[in-house]
Amino acid sequence: MRTRAFSLVFALLLLVAPVSAAQNFTVDTVHSSVVFKVKRLGVVNVYGRFNGLKGSIAFDADNPAASSVQLELQAEAVDTNNERRDNHLRSPDFFNAAQFPVINFKSTQVKKISDNSYEVTGDLSLHGVTKSMVLKVDNVGSGTNPRNGSPLIGFETKFVLKRSEFGMTYMTDALSDDVEIIIAVHGVVPAS
Amino acid sequence: MFVLKVLAVTILGPSLVCAGLALAIPRLVGRSFSDVPWASGVALAAGYLTGHALIFGFPSLPPTDTVQWLFLAVGLGGLLLALPGGPRWPRVGILVVFAGLLTVTLKPMFEYHWTAREGLIWSVVLLVWLFGLDLFLVRLSHPDGAGPVLLPLFAALGGLGAALLGLSATTSLAQLAGSAGSCLLVLALVSRLRSPAQPSWIGVGLTILGGLALNGLFYAQLSGWSAASLGAAPLAAALASWRPFRDRSVLFRVAVVVLFAVLILLPCLSLEVRDFLATPEYDPYEY
């Protein structure tokens, strides 16, 4: 009798209590961007981008520590709107895309630092080197897809890395060691 | 200033180290340059390593990419040559270095681009070619045969290789080839002015130029034809032993051999220059 009553109360509690779990998003390649800039001869910033960002995000707004992100780029997808320069960037002088075709980032820890701002720690693998990075990531918006009502979410981060720390040491007197990177990620729930 | 700095790093630094060792080693052991079998190989290896260190810095341990592995292969090759041993040992050692070089250079191709069968064929063909070329050139290297023309020929191949690599979207490999070419030129001068070099430099030279050509072919935009021509061009050395030229002066034979090598490479060079200049005028890429 007592056991039955307890089970009933427990079941009612489960119905009433909010169920919080990470929501899984896929990176929308078309509406996500990876842009970088590097200083040339100490005089001007030259911009480029990587096309084709892929990945997944598991986001739990109520329990950010349960969130995770995994992003992946193809090194050969570098695009600076100049074919000769792009080929040079893909060569052993810089990204060495044939030897290190994939650039990826995998989070190891997510921490909330303020409303809509998170500190994401993770491993960035680039040019055969893996280093731990701490990124400040902003949740710039969330909503629903007007076509099908599925959830949408947006994140953005800006950070600087030293390319020499990833073994890209060539021409640091002509092109800066510091590379500033902006990543804007649009997360969607794929149609089932 | 920038150009001067590049020239100093690419040519002056490595040449000085190579020349310094080529002159100092015989002096230290109390013999002539041609009586110290390992002097030319060690001097060439040291010159190339200097160029690499000036351009890239020292490689990490373990190396993270194939050009860093080439640094180790050349260093190992130089060390093996310096070890005392009979006439067979350097050739066995050089075979080990070639096999090791191919293993580490082709590893990313096995990992991302080739099937096992493709990789095996490439590995066997390249190893046989490199080692066969080494045996062929060592055989020709007798001072009364093609010996005096080999170093100038390889110096020219270093320069031409640098030009081809520079046109293949990689200036770093071009700089390394330029470093090697300048060291080979220094050795050619020392050979001419002092006494002929022993052929220990041949295995090291093939490791360097072969390694750079393979990196250009598989990881930059060096065309297959250019790489094959660079691989075939050393065969021009055989002309120096050809009867019509055998009794001519050293300078004449050098000119003939280098000219023939240039003729082998000229079609590829012309095509690469044509493609390079075909870029529209509004697209002046300069890193």
Side-chain angles (χ1 to χ4, degrees):
Chain A
M1 184 71 181
R2 209 183 264 178
T3 316
R4 264 174 115 189
F6 179 75
S7 301
L8 189 61
V9 168
F10 187 65
L12 280 169
L13 278 171
L14 278 176
L15 281 170
V16 167
V19 176
S20 178
Q23 185 139 43
N24 293 314
F25 297 91
T26 299
V27 171
D28 174 3
T29 300
V30 173
H31 298 105
S32 299
S33 304
V34 179
V35 180
F36 63 88
K37 73 176 181 189
V38 63
K39 202 149 205 178
R40 177 180 181 264
L41 296 174
V43 167
V44 68
N45 290 319
V46 180
Y47 287 79
R49 69 183 193 209
F50 281 91
N51 301 320
L53 179 66
K54 287 185 186 165
S56 58
I57 303 163
F59 181 59
D60 187 341
D62 296 322
N63 181 18
S67 304
S68 65
V69 61
Q70 183 265 323
L71 300 173
E72 187 178 290
L73 283 169
Q74 295 297 310
E76 65 175 13
V78 64
D79 180 355
T80 64
N81 196 31
N82 183 300
E83 192 188 329
R84 202 191 288 174
R85 179 166 53 207
D86 293 345
N87 287 332
H88 193 189
L89 289 170
R90 293 180 192 117
S91 79
D93 293 9
F94 297 103
F95 289 103
N96 209 343
Q99 288 188 39
F100 310 111
V102 177
I103 301 168
N104 63 41
F105 177 82
K106 197 168 177 189
S107 67
T108 52
Q109 188 186 68
V110 179
K111 205 163 61 175
K112 187 167 186 169
I113 45 180
S114 64
D115 280 351
N116 299 319
S117 269
Y118 302 87
E119 188 179 87
V120 178
T121 305
D123 293 327
L124 174 64
S125 296
L126 164 65
H127 198 256
V129 176
T130 299
K131 288 186 87 67
S132 182
M133 307 274 302
V134 180
L135 310 179
K136 182 177 167 290
V137 180
D138 296 321
N139 174 201
V140 296
S142 58
T144 53
N145 189 327
R147 285 192 189 167
N148 56 25
S150 63
L152 304 173
I153 200 158
F155 292 97
E156 198 162 300
T157 182
K158 184 162 80 171
F159 61 97
V160 174
L161 62 76
K162 288 192 179 303
R163 59 187 179 95
S164 59
E165 289 178 359
F166 291 89
M168 290 192 281
T169 56
Y170 191 59
M171 280 171 83
T172 46
D173 44 0
L175 297 171
S176 63
D177 192 21
D178 287 353
V179 181
E180 189 174 316
I181 298 164
I182 299 172
I183 304 177
V185 176
H186 184 221
V188 299
V189 174
S192 48
Chain B
M1 271 305 284
F2 180 73
V3 172
L4 283 174
K5 189 184 170 194
V6 169
L7 284 173
V9 158
T10 305
I11 292 174
L12 196 61
S15 305
L16 285 173
V17 168
C18 182
L21 281 172
L23 295 170
I25 289 172
R27 206 160 238 217
L28 284 168
V29 299
R31 287 187 269 168
S32 71
F33 187 53
S34 52
D35 289 333
V36 187
W38 46 271
S40 62
V42 168
L44 177 60
Y48 174 79
L49 297 183
T50 303
H52 185 288
L54 288 172
I55 295 166
F56 286 113
F58 286 98
S60 50
L61 284 171
T64 54
D65 66 40
T66 53
V67 173
Q68 292 191 1
W69 277 110
L70 179 59
F71 181 100
L72 280 193
V74 172
L76 184 63
L79 260 173
L80 277 170
L81 287 165
L83 289 172
R88 278 221 173 86
W89 168 239
R91 299 270 73 71
V92 170
I94 285 295
L95 179 62
V96 167
V97 170
F98 285 162
L101 173 72
L102 288 173
T103 304
V104 295
T105 303
L106 301 179
K107 185 171 172 279
M109 296 303 292
F110 276 97
E111 222 169 300
Y112 300 113
H113 306 285
W114 283 340
T115 62
R117 190 163 171 264
E118 272 177 310
L120 186 63
I121 293 169
W122 270 108
S123 303
V124 168
V125 166
L126 288 170
L127 184 61
V128 166
W129 181 254
L130 271 174
F131 193 59
L133 206 51
D134 177 67
L135 291 174
F136 169 75
L137 292 168
V138 168
R139 204 168 199 166
L140 279 181
S141 66
H142 195 276
D144 295 335
V149 309
L150 285 179
L151 275 165
L153 169 63
F154 267 72
L157 290 179
L160 290 165
L164 281 168
L165 287 165
L167 294 166
S168 305
T170 167
T171 47
S172 66
L173 297 184
Q175 279 188 272
L176 289 170
S179 293
S182 65
C183 293
L184 288 158
L185 185 62
V186 155
L187 285 180
L189 289 170
V190 171
S191 269
R192 186 93 178 114
L193 298 171
R194 294 284 167 130
S195 54
Q198 292 261 358
S200 63
W201 64 269
I202 292 175
V204 178
L206 284 174
T207 303
I208 295 170
L209 295 181
L212 290 174
L214 290 176
N215 271 280
L217 174 65
F218 293 121
Y219 307 120
Q221 298 215 308
L222 189 69
S223 69
W225 282 115
S226 296
S229 300
L230 276 170
L235 298 174
L239 274 178
S241 300
W242 199 30
R243 198 170 287 180
F245 301 131
R246 209 186 294 166
D247 297 322
R248 304 298 291 263
S249 72
V250 169
L251 279 176
F252 181 86
R253 286 188 290 152
V254 167
V256 164
V257 163
V258 170
L259 183 64
F260 194 73
V262 168
L263 286 173
I264 293 173
L265 290 167
L266 198 58
C268 304
L269 206 49
S270 307
L271 288 171
E272 300 280 1
V273 169
R274 182 204 66 179
D275 290 343
F276 191 83
L277 294 175
T279 318
E281 277 191 34
Y282 63 82
D283 185 18
Y285 168 59
E286 199 186 302
Y287 52 82

